[in-house]
Amino acid sequence: MTQTLSITGMSCGHCVRAVTVALESVVGVESVAVDLDLGRARIEGRAEADALIAAVVAEGYGAQAVPLE
């Protein structure tokens, strides 16, 4: 299953790494790709959206689920 989050507050590579590590720590996540320019994260796996958002917010960034297109 693929989920996409809109991430706010990222401004550099360190931010991307922090968000990536936070998302990878969520149970059920298989892979993560964070795009600084788009401000989005694509997550593969069976993690709950609420858990993904909570992990990003805990790192100090904003996050919300992007509806499937």
Side-chain angles (χ1 to χ4, degrees):
M1 180 166 95
T2 301
Q3 298 182 67
T4 302
L5 297 180
S6 174
I7 311 291
T8 57
M10 295 190 302
S11 61
C12 65
H14 177 270
C15 298
V16 170
R17 183 70 185 138
V19 169
T20 300
V21 169
L23 290 169
E24 289 174 340
S25 73
V26 176
V27 173
V29 170
E30 295 172 11
S31 68
V32 174
V34 179
D35 188 309
L36 177 62
D37 293 330
L38 294 177
R40 291 196 173 193
R42 180 181 170 115
I43 304 100
E44 298 285 342
R46 299 215 173 265
E48 295 291 329
D50 289 344
L52 297 170
I53 291 169
V56 173
V57 169
E59 287 297 314
Y61 303 92
Q64 65 181 20
V66 175
L68 296 175
E69 299 172 352

